[in-house]
Amino acid sequence: MTDGVFDPAALAQSWAQPSKPTPIVIFGAGSIVGDAHFPAYAKAGFPVAGLFDPDHAKAEKLAAKWGVAAYRSVEEAAATRDVVFDLATPPAHHAGVLRALPDGAVALIQKPMGSDLTEATEILEICRSKNLKAAVNFQLRFAPMMLALKDAIARGWLGEVVDFDAWLALATPWQLWEFLLKAPRVEIAMHSIHYLDLIRQLLGDPRGVHAKTLGHPGHKVPQTRTSAILDYGDTVRCALSINHDHKFGRKHQACEFRICGTEGAAYLKLGLNLDYPRGEPDILEIYPKGGSDWITVPLVGEWFPDAFVGRMANVQRYASGDDAELVSSVEDAWNTMALVEAAYQSSAAPATPIAARP
């Protein structure tokens, strides 16, 4: 705090950059790489050595656009020395790529950390056995609005957080990710996992979760709608209402968080998800402790691509010894996967039956 006066511009919104960026080798040439990874690394000045994708023509096209090499095999890409390996691969392929990396390598793994908790455990064991400095790309933690929110909470501007609401009612273009059409787990594992991971960072690990996730008759994606309650005991209420099938115009669509404390509150609009991937501007407003109205925090950047800059910066700074903590390390990310697994188990379990009339 500064003399007890809330200064929104004083909140941290970015991660310190590495003094000497390390070249990056990317596995995968999907839309997330073209829409987020390359733009982020170009913005930050992080050099990319090259990329590999099993679809070599696709890899060559993207590589040519950004002026990097297109490797012909996982082994060729993994043989590149003194780099950070960026796995933008489908979850079922993470383990195979990690096994091909040299021992002691630095790696950033696309979320989720495997298709389920069994695969997450396998990935954790691979990273341990090969002594990999590995983190999972839960980049929402590094979005400017989320860094500012975390800083505001740490500075005491909300008091003790007692309520967290996530509310989404939007139309998500699932067709951008063809592999999801065959995936058994989609909404929680591939999307809401970001929110669950962020909640873990802000509130810690919950005692348990009540959840229901389901599809929609309008398409073949296995799940696109989720309701969940995270159990933090008798003080904190945490609820998520997620609907990716609100296809009735922008007017009543939403993608927002409301975080309430004992002495203040925060409102966030995650603009990226509205008209993805073009998106809308993010919004962070805070009603600070001792205040009398909402104050807009001027954001210097947005979720895409800036969160990817901070995510990679932390990986590189940890590898060089500049950062003491590797945020969302595989050790910590396993706990997010355990929460995801519990949510699917809850969804599969029968609800508490209502008593029949006597």
Side-chain angles (χ1 to χ4, degrees), residues 173-238:
W174 297 106
Q175 69 277 7
L176 294 177
W177 307 281
E178 294 182 7
F179 72 94
L180 293 183
L181 297 178
K182 298 180 180 179
R185 295 180 169 185
V186 177
E187 204 293 309
I188 299 175
M190 302 300 295
H191 185 92
S192 288
I193 189 172
H194 278 302
Y195 313 143
L196 297 176
D197 180 71
L198 179 76
I199 291 167
R200 282 191 55 247
Q201 184 187 39
L202 296 177
L203 302 179
D205 288 311
R207 300 176 182 181
V209 58
H210 308 276
K212 182 67 177 180
T213 187
L214 63 161
H216 188 277
H219 48 62
K220 297 180 180 180
V221 180
Q223 308 97 31
T224 59
R225 296 174 291 162
T226 298
S227 295
I229 299 172
L230 276 59
D231 183 359
Y232 282 98
D234 296 331
T235 301
V236 177
R237 183 188 65 87
C238 180

Side-chain angles (χ1 to χ4, degrees), residues 105-121:
V106 181
L108 179 60
I109 306 165
Q110 180 61 284
K111 60 81 192 164
M113 185 179 164
S115 302
D116 52 31
L117 192 59
T118 299
E119 289 187 10
T121 301

Side-chain angles (χ1 to χ4, degrees), residues 74-123:
V74 168
E75 292 72 21
E76 181 185 1
T80 312
R81 298 299 177 183
D82 301 319
V83 298
V84 171
F85 295 103
D86 187 7
L87 279 64
T89 44
H93 294 274
H94 294 341
V97 175
L98 290 169
R99 288 193 182 94
L101 301 185
D103 290 355
V106 181
L108 179 60
I109 306 165
Q110 180 61 284
K111 60 81 192 164
M113 185 179 164
S115 302
D116 52 31
L117 192 59
T118 299
E119 289 187 10
T121 301
E122 178 186 11
I123 288 169

